Amino acid sequence: MSADLLKTIDRVFEEHCGKGVREAAEGGAWPAGLWQALEDVGLTTAALAEDAGGSGLEFGDAMLALRRTAYHAAPVPLAETMLAGRLLSAAGIAVPAGALTVAPVHGADRLEIARGASGYTVYGTARRVPWGNQCAHVVVAGECNGEAMVGLAQAAGMAGSVERNLAGEPRAEMHFKAAPLIAAAPLADAHARMGAEGALLRSVQMAGALERSLEYALLYANERVQFGRPIGKFQAIQHLLAVLAGQVAASSAAADAAVEACRESPDGFMVPVAKARIGEAAGRAAEIAHQVHGAMGYTREHNLHYVTRRLWSWRDEFGNETHWQMRLGRMIAAKGADALWPMLTGV
Amino acid sequence: MHEFRFEPVELPPAAQELRRQVRALIAEEVARGAFNPSQHTWSSFDADFSRKCGERGFIGMIWPKKYGGHERTALERYVVTEEMLAGGAPVGGHWVADRQSGHQILRNGSERAKSEILPKIAAGTCFFAIGMSEPDSGSDLAAVRTRASKAEGGWKISGTKVWTSSAHRAHYLIALVRTAPKEEDRHAGLTQFIVDLSRPGVTVRPIYNLYGGHDFNEVVFDDYFVPDDMVMGGVGKGWQMVTGELAFERSGPDRFLSTFQLFLESIRQVGPAPDDRAANDIGRFIAHVATLRRMSTSVAGMLQRGAQPNVEAALVKDMGTAFEREIPEVFRHLIPTEPALGPGASYPELLGMTMLQAPGFTIRGGTREILRGIIARGLGLR
Ligand SMILES: Cc1cc2nc3c(=O)[nH]c(=O)nc-3n(C[C@H](O)[C@H](O)[C@H](O)COP(=O)(O)OP(=O)(O)OC[C@H]3O[C@@H](n4cnc5c(N)ncnc54)[C@H](O)[C@@H]3O)c2cc1C
């Protein structure tokens, strides 16, 4: 991807995502300036194919861009918008402008889609819908007479109570009571696909946040002086940072591998690998980054918390490590040990 | 700050065919009862199997044809090595010569060394050992005290090497030796020599290891004569060569697949319908091994491009060996058994053997602590 796009993203965040914007977003304000700037540079449509209204980026580059926004701890539903757009375009539905989200994403929540005289409607409750209270539209996945479908609904007015994840991102309860769908179309395994694509995008985001956590920790280790020298000169700190760097590098590699495998649709092997591996790295890395920062990292003053609170949230969204590991473990156990190596090598 | 980018690499089109060839060789050998894959690691010695690998062109793959090589790419070689390990092939005979010694000779050896030795390595009939460690020089490799002094037409070596794996089965070893007194620069004055173990003046004595096996040795030099054309890369160039070799030594699939056979056997033991806990632990290891493989392949790509990915290699080895060591520790909880002493013919023996080998994984080839120091230097902290 062009270094230019990364620079553009960095500049957007420098201009539109100061501490004030972040804190206001956590307080419930919509960061309109930041969102507008992301739209202006084409990021909100970056994961779509060009004929579906995309900005002409390769999927891999779109994911690198998403990763960079997570490096900046973006307080906006960019991943959700990308995910919703990809589901719509996979089902052949036109993607509307503006912020989008998806439902249902939590636990055993399921939605029902019904066909009536005046079109499709959706029923049910979806909990912890990311940014459900602040998006214009929501893409729902559900079954209609046993057929898997996705549909597009207005989000305004659907959100009930709003919780926040550890990073202060809104997670809304949405109630659909025969809510009309603007469009609906069949999509094979729609709900599973939503979950897998969500896991993929969270993995990519975590890889970006992890990179930042390492950068913060290295900066601090070189700056902070105790016993007459920078703490980074102590072997104990050096070894912590070496472990942190390993977790970050592994996450980066796992995210790249998953993105490569998921250009068209989510891959049944690499998505679980990435979400599980990166989810584990998130916990270990956040622990180390905080240990290196001492009390300073325990404050709201230092910016470390913007990435670590996201890591602690994202690793549990769209399936935690256990969820995906059990799936992988069962898959291989059922096929037999001899299936593992061919699966790893693709031959 | 060093940026650790494990760039994706695309495996060459020939990879698929090579995989099939290696799998076919292993299947043939297993079918005729030559070995049991679950009992083997990359340090298992089997001269017969090494010769077969040589015949099929699986050794010295990237070397020029005029030295017996096959002029294939580093990534093609990578594919063959990982297939050997995943298949549990006893590659210990030729492993070191193929992985690092031959490569050193090709780049730094005299014409005689190249034309006499490389074709034999490639044929799978000539094995090497690594003569770096000494009684007083482990992690601090530059502290080696084995000395060589100039003699007519060559050098005379005296001193002691230890932990020299396979020295009792190898034909040669490459020894790191002091050829000039220690100066301010501790890394100066070191030279590497090719030592022919069949010549007089060198004695190999067994050192029995944790599981009671004879793998490594003490090697004593007493005025052992090496001709000038068995000096590698010039007098005083030893340190540079040793450090250049380490990226080859550290990043390969042998640094995360040592316990892969136990992993596979454990999946078999758990059976087709694991409970939640077993499924979770198996899945976690799969996520780890898939990621490590990606990283290791990426380092192979860097080596192919001629880069010196020493830090990346250290990182893969640190994470890879931690992964290898975790496998017995986790499965002992899932499979109700007690580890048993023995060569690995049953699951309890395989578990027991792996447990007794595991402590070596994070020591051989550079300890975990030394690797983390290298990574920290890469991060700009030292
Ligand atoms: C199975 C096996 C096979 C081997 N095969 C070979 C071989 O074929 N050829 C060969 O030359 N060698 C071989 N070795 C030796 C191996 O390279 C050394 O064991 C290794 O380099 C460590 O040296 P040491 O054992 O002397 O430990 P030491 O260097 O004495 O280290 C002891 C402990 O102190 C730690 N330590 C040392 N220095 C530092 C430091 N600066 N900071 C923090 N911690 C430190 C180490 O990490 C370790 O935990 C083999 C070893 C094993 C276990």
Side-chain angles (χ1 to χ4, degrees):
Chain A
M1 123 132 130
S2 68
D4 282 353
L5 181 54
L6 285 190
K7 276 202 204 102
T8 304
I9 296 172
D10 291 350
R11 188 177 41 73
V12 165
F13 279 87
E14 206 173 292
E15 285 173 15
H16 299 281
C17 198
K19 209 154 184 129
V21 173
R22 290 177 189 287
E23 293 297 324
E26 289 198 33
W30 174 247
L34 175 62
W35 185 259
Q36 188 60 51
L38 293 173
E39 269 188 359
D40 291 347
V41 297
L43 277 196
T44 55
T45 54
L48 298 176
E50 223 169 340
D51 54 17
S55 40
L57 281 186
E58 289 272 310
F59 181 60
D61 287 343
M63 291 298 99
L64 283 180
L66 175 67
R67 184 160 153 178
R68 194 66 179 180
T69 65
Y71 165 96
H72 288 293
V76 283
L78 181 63
E80 290 77 1
T81 300
M82 288 179 165
L83 168 55
R86 267 169 73 80
L87 289 170
L88 288 178
S89 62
I93 300 173
V95 182
L100 310 173
T101 188
V102 295
V105 296
H106 186 70
D109 293 356
R110 295 289 180 273
L111 297 175
E112 280 286 328
I113 294 175
R115 179 172 200 161
S118 54
Y120 289 97
T121 50
V122 59
Y123 294 84
T125 295
R127 291 165 297 158
R128 294 189 72 84
V129 177
W131 305 88
N133 56 328
Q134 292 186 319
C135 288
H137 293 98
V138 56
V139 170
V140 295
E143 294 212 336
C144 179
N145 298 325
E147 187 182 25
M149 297 189 79
V150 292
L152 176 67
Q154 210 86 53
M158 301 290 171
S161 61
V162 176
E163 297 175 28
R164 293 194 173 269
N165 69 9
L166 292 183
E169 297 175 326
R171 298 293 181 257
E173 190 162 300
M174 299 187 84
H175 303 284
F176 302 99
K177 295 179 191 134
L181 294 179
I182 299 162
L187 180 68
D189 297 323
H191 185 249
R193 183 162 174 162
M194 179 183 279
E197 293 239 8
L200 171 69
L201 299 196
R202 285 289 183 267
S203 300
V204 168
Q205 289 178 291
M206 285 195 281
L210 280 161
E211 253 172 83
R212 193 59 175 279
S213 74
L214 173 62
E215 233 176 85
Y216 281 136
L218 285 173
L219 267 176
Y220 196 74
N222 283 320
E223 256 168 39
R224 172 68 174 167
V225 173
Q226 286 292 279
F227 300 98
R229 43 187 179 148
I231 56 169
K233 294 288 166 205
F234 296 112
Q235 197 182 52
I237 299 287
Q238 291 176 351
H239 286 195
L240 282 177
L241 291 170
V243 173
L244 173 54
Q247 296 299 321
V248 174
S251 300
S252 188
D256 286 347
V259 167
E260 243 172 56
C262 299
R263 287 207 172 90
E264 304 303 325
S265 60
D267 182 75
F269 183 68
M270 276 319 297
V271 167
V273 163
K275 187 66 167 59
R277 183 64 190 86
I278 301 174
E280 177 178 329
R284 295 170 71 179
E287 179 187 338
I288 293 175
H290 276 284
Q291 190 63 21
V292 168
H293 278 84
M296 182 51 81
Y298 192 64
T299 65
R300 291 286 285 216
E301 278 165 45
H302 192 285
N303 288 339
L304 176 65
H305 67 86
Y306 289 120
V307 287
T308 53
R309 287 186 296 132
R310 278 176 172 74
L311 289 171
W312 288 317
S313 301
W314 291 342
R315 65 180 174 168
D316 282 325
E317 295 178 354
F318 292 102
N320 64 12
E321 296 95 283
T322 308
H323 170 87
W324 292 109
Q325 285 163 186
M326 289 202 309
R327 175 166 307 191
L328 278 177
R330 293 227 152 80
M331 188 197 310
I332 291 300
K335 291 183 192 228
D338 293 332
L340 175 57
W341 186 251
M343 189 150 241
L344 286 166
T345 54
V347 188
Chain B
M1 183 189 106
H2 184 102
E3 243 203 285
F4 298 117
R5 285 292 298 150
F6 287 85
E7 296 290 349
V9 299
E10 200 157 331
L11 290 175
Q16 299 214 354
E17 178 52 26
L18 283 168
R19 287 189 201 286
R20 268 189 282 276
Q21 287 173 10
V22 177
R23 288 177 198 180
L25 170 62
I26 293 174
E28 271 168 43
E29 293 297 292
V30 171
R32 71 172 186 95
F35 60 82
N36 170 358
S38 66
Q39 266 167 282
H40 287 291
T41 67
W42 53 271
S43 45
S44 301
F45 180 88
D46 181 338
D48 190 44
F49 185 74
S50 289
R51 193 176 40 73
K52 289 202 166 121
C53 288
E55 282 166 8
R56 308 232 176 161
F58 294 146
I59 307 177
M61 287 179 69
I62 57 181
W63 309 340
K65 291 204 167 126
K66 73 167 180 171
Y67 299 125
H70 305 282
E71 302 187 358
R72 308 201 65 145
T73 65
L75 285 169
E76 287 170 336
R77 176 183 174 273
Y78 182 90
V79 163
V80 167
T81 58
E82 71 167 2
E83 285 294 329
M84 291 286 180
L85 300 179
V91 288
H94 61 272
W95 195 255
V96 163
D98 181 56
R99 179 182 69 189
Q100 59 196 94
S101 321
H103 188 79
Q104 282 283 24
I105 293 171
L106 181 67
R107 286 168 65 157
N108 304 302
S110 66
E111 189 49 46
R112 177 161 87 96
K114 285 193 267 197
S115 52
E116 273 183 18
I117 299 173
L118 291 180
K120 289 190 285 177
I121 296 179
T125 56
C126 173
F127 310 139
F128 268 71
I130 304 168
M132 294 191 192
S133 307
E134 295 186 7
D136 293 324
S137 169
S139 299
D140 184 9
L141 190 54
V144 292
R145 292 212 297 235
T146 297
R147 280 184 311 106
S149 41
K150 194 70 190 105
E152 172 84 41
W155 295 76
K156 289 212 153 166
I157 302 181
S158 289
T160 302
K161 293 286 172 186
V162 281
W163 325 130
T164 323
S165 298
S166 278
H168 57 305
R169 299 178 287 227
H171 304 91
Y172 295 90
L173 64 73
I174 295 182
L176 179 70
V177 173
R178 189 153 277 293
T179 41
K182 242 194 220 168
E183 302 166 31
E184 191 124 351
D185 176 7
R186 315 172 60 232
H187 300 150
L190 292 169
T191 305
Q192 283 205 308
F193 293 94
I194 302 172
V195 169
D196 179 345
L197 288 163
S198 68
R199 292 168 63 110
V202 54
T203 317
V204 176
R205 292 196 201 105
I207 304 177
Y208 291 94
N209 62 21
L210 192 56
Y211 64 85
H214 175 198
D215 267 337
F216 55 27
N217 303 274
E218 179 189 62
V219 179
V220 179
F221 296 91
D222 182 14
D223 265 348
Y224 172 93
F225 178 79
V226 201
D228 280 324
D229 54 10
M230 290 293 140
V231 172
M232 291 256 277
V235 175
K237 293 282 185 336
W239 186 257
Q240 276 159 265
M241 272 188 279
V242 163
T243 47
E245 197 169 322
L246 289 174
F248 291 89
E249 185 175 342
R250 285 180 176 155
S251 63
D254 39 344
R255 301 309 184 180
F256 61 92
L257 291 177
S258 303
T259 58
F260 195 66
Q261 300 311 317
L262 175 65
F263 183 27
L264 294 179
E265 202 48 46
S266 302
I267 296 173
R268 287 181 197 115
Q269 292 282 325
V270 165
D275 63 17
D276 284 358
R277 180 176 175 200
N280 179 56
D281 286 342
I282 291 170
R284 175 168 171 268
F285 283 142
I286 293 172
H288 276 254
V289 74
T291 306
L292 284 162
R293 196 177 154 262
R294 172 96 181 177
M295 298 171 85
S296 178
T297 315
S298 172
V299 177
M302 298 179 212
L303 289 169
Q304 175 157 315
R305 292 195 298 273
Q308 275 232 352
N310 285 351
V311 182
E312 286 80 359
L315 200 133
V316 172
K317 180 173 184 282
D318 182 31
M319 301 185 80
T321 52
F323 163 78
E324 293 177 331
R325 291 200 59 171
E326 242 190 307
I327 286 179
E329 292 305 307
V330 166
F331 281 110
R332 61 177 273 273
H333 291 290
L334 297 178
I335 295 162
T337 185
E338 290 175 27
L341 269 185
S346 62
Y347 186 79
E349 284 188 10
L350 179 62
L351 179 67
M353 178 57 102
T354 309
M355 274 178 188
L356 293 181
Q357 288 173 341
F361 301 162
T362 45
I363 294 173
R364 64 182 181 191
T367 70
R368 169 192 290 152
E369 291 70 29
I370 292 305
L371 298 173
R372 290 187 181 168
I374 293 169
I375 300 164
R377 180 171 299 123
L379 291 170
L381 294 164
R382 303 173 53 201

